[in-house]
């Protein structure tokens, strides 16, 4: 929800698009977008294809596999920065906004 609450700040800092990625299926994600009033899409990686290809960290809880929290900054199809681990998650969106502000191209500041 931090990324929801700071969505305009993220855009002002230079983020063109924001996505969430999770292991839940698309019907669950559609419900979550509505319930949480998210201004961005959630992408489903229920088969962990994307996570496995990128070797993203995961965890097993209650016999289920989940993605660990992390943030990827993508720049023209390339991973430009990784935030991991994410702690505390309640203030992580602030950290990402600050990073984006500090790493904007000189002409865009």
């Amino acid at each position: 929800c931090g990324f929801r609450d700071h969505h305009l700040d993220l855009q002002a800092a230079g983020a063109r698009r924001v996505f969430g990625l999770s292991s839940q299926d698309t019907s669950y994600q559609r419900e979550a977008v509505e319930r949480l009033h998210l201004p961005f899409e959630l992408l489903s990686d229920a088969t962990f294809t994307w996570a496995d290809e990128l070797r993203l960290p995961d965890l097993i809880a209650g016999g289920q596999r989940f993605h660990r929290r992390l943030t990827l900054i993508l720049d023209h199809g390339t991973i430009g920065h990784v935030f991991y681990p994410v702690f505390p998650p309640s203030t992580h969106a602030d950290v990402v906004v600050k990073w984006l502000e500090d790493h904007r191209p000189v002409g865009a500041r």
Side-chain angles (χ1 to χ4, degrees):
C1 292
F3 284 87
R4 174 199 63 203
D5 298 344
H6 290 285
H7 191 254
L8 293 177
D9 299 327
L10 290 159
Q11 290 178 322
R16 283 178 277 163
R17 303 275 315 261
V18 175
F19 297 96
L21 177 73
S22 74
S23 58
Q24 286 81 18
D25 64 29
T26 54
S27 62
Y28 174 87
Q29 290 175 327
R30 276 193 291 270
E31 183 276 326
V33 166
E34 290 180 27
R35 176 174 37 88
L36 299 171
H37 307 286
L38 300 180
F40 51 85
E41 296 175 65
L42 291 179
L43 306 176
S44 177
D45 187 27
T47 61
F48 288 83
T49 303
W50 210 71
D52 290 342
E53 193 67 29
L54 292 175
R55 294 187 220 140
L56 300 178
D58 61 6
L59 65 101
I60 305 294
Q64 287 189 287
R65 184 179 178 196
F66 296 96
H67 296 76
R68 287 195 181 265
R69 287 186 180 164
L70 62 88
T71 299
L72 301 174
I73 304 292
L74 304 178
D75 185 13
H76 296 93
T78 301
I79 298 171
H81 190 75
V82 178
F83 293 90
Y84 181 78
V86 170
F87 189 81
S90 60
T91 60
H92 181 60
D94 294 314
V95 172
V96 174
V97 168
K98 175 76 169 114
W99 189 92
L100 288 169
E101 291 171 343
D102 291 347
H103 292 85
R104 275 191 236 184
V106 174
R109 291 184 188 171

